[in-house]
Amino acid sequence: MDNGFLGSILEKMNISNDSEKLDKLNSFYELLVEKNKVMNLTAITDYNEACIKHFADSLALIPYFDVSQCKTVADLGTGAGFPGVPLAIFFPEVQFTLIDSVNKKLLFIEESCSSLGIENVRVLHGRAEDISHGEFRQGFDLAVSRAVSNLSVLSELILGMVKKGGMFVSYKSAQSDDEIKSSSKAVELMGGRIEKVIDFTIPDTELERKFVLIKKVKDTPKRFPRKAGTPLKSPLG
Ligand code: SAH
């Protein structure tokens, strides 16, 4: 296993790391690839590609947003644990809640975190539309999400979980400008305001990505999100 490759990308991104964190990421990679043989968790199994597209991409937020100021973070549609698990490894003092509607993916995350001694991750099985109306309503300081839905839909799914004054960070591809523009109505209806769009490139690659930072400025009206399935079927705005 080559700690050097991942460590050197992270250094170029100004993300300080140590061998304990790199070991955990590398072990998580091994567990992921092993489990991927028996269930569909990821299309990315090559080590270097996983370092770039899963680990470096998940952690790329660190230079732009101070995650350590948050007590609670939700990762909606975490899948095999991205970006939630890498971020949890880097912020052991912050409590991460990884949400997905597919329970077997969450079981993989739970098993992996327990075997790697990652204690600040809990999983939550369900659909965002339901979870947003329950005990977690406006409960998280920060919500993150990658590769789940377009920004209008995602805003309806997630902004109800974010505390007033908190932030939602959407991990997006470089080609999302139109999507971002057309989400502004949904963002506003949900009590959010697009604060910043950050472009970044993973070092030594041509992988261009964006973060959309959406500040939760008002309470989300009680009627949102609408019932499960509706946000995707007829997006707000
Ligand atoms: N974030 C991961 C996985 C993306 S795949 C990554 O970047 O690799 C999208 C995931 O979102 C799937 O696991 C799917 O089950 C989950 N998902 C989609 N809609 C959802 C919803 N409404 N509520 C909860 N999870 C959802």
Side-chain angles (χ1 to χ4, degrees):
M1 192 50 65
D2 181 20
N3 263 5
F5 182 70
L6 184 52
S8 77
I9 306 177
L10 296 181
E11 265 143 45
K12 287 179 193 164
M13 297 167 81
N14 290 319
I15 297 171
S16 62
N17 58 83
D18 55 44
S19 58
E20 196 188 327
K21 292 186 172 78
L22 293 176
D23 286 349
K24 283 193 169 139
L25 293 173
N26 284 324
S27 304
F28 185 68
Y29 164 75
E30 286 179 354
L31 293 169
L32 177 67
V33 169
E34 197 50 40
K35 194 60 150 191
N36 206 45
K37 291 177 184 162
V38 294
M39 67 182 271
N40 189 14
L41 284 169
T42 180
I44 299 163
T45 53
D46 173 74
Y47 175 70
N48 285 8
E49 199 182 352
C51 285
I52 292 163
K53 294 189 178 161
H54 280 331
F55 297 129
D57 190 54
S58 292
L59 296 168
L61 180 61
I62 293 174
Y64 303 107
F65 183 84
D66 183 9
V67 179
S68 71
Q69 70 178 358
C70 303
K71 287 200 176 75
T72 54
V73 178
D75 177 13
L76 173 66
T78 190
F82 301 107
V85 170
L87 288 173
I89 290 171
F90 274 65
F91 297 95
E93 308 299 323
V94 179
Q95 179 67 50
F96 284 78
T97 301
L98 274 46
I99 302 169
D100 208 284
S101 53
V102 178
N103 202 33
K104 62 183 181 170
K105 296 182 183 178
L106 298 177
L107 294 175
F108 160 73
I109 294 171
E110 223 170 19
E111 275 170 28
S112 305
C113 287
S114 138
S115 86
L116 298 177
I118 301 168
E119 292 173 351
N120 56 326
V121 168
R122 74 170 162 202
V123 298
L124 184 56
H125 176 222
R127 294 191 64 142
E129 294 92 322
D130 303 319
I131 290 169
S132 282
H133 285 290
E135 62 175 302
F136 296 99
R137 187 156 187 91
Q138 304 209 132
F140 295 100
D141 298 312
L142 169 67
V144 294
S145 190
R146 187 182 85 156
V148 172
S149 206
N150 76 60
L151 198 55
S152 300
V153 176
L154 206 47
S155 295
E156 181 168 3
L157 297 179
I158 213 167
L159 278 168
M161 298 181 201
V162 181
K163 279 184 192 165
K164 204 161 120 182
M167 194 73 87
F168 161 39
V169 176
S170 180
Y171 285 63
K172 284 288 170 196
S173 72
Q175 297 76 35
S176 330
D177 287 335
D178 292 343
E179 177 189 334
I180 296 167
K181 239 179 256 157
S182 57
S183 73
S184 62
K185 181 86 182 154
V187 169
E188 196 194 317
L189 281 169
M190 291 299 293
R193 188 181 62 214
I194 297 179
E195 190 166 87
K196 217 191 273 180
V197 178
I198 295 163
D199 296 284
F200 67 97
T201 306
I202 307 278
D204 300 335
T205 74
E206 282 166 14
L207 190 63
E208 293 176 66
R209 305 275 295 151
K210 271 185 206 301
F211 288 122
V212 186
L213 272 63
I214 298 176
K215 179 115 181 157
K216 182 77 181 279
V217 289
K218 284 187 201 150
D219 289 323
T220 299
K222 285 204 173 61
R223 65 182 189 281
F224 297 130
R226 293 163 296 165
K227 71 175 179 13
T230 307
L232 185 59
K233 232 180 286 158
S234 50
L236 293 173

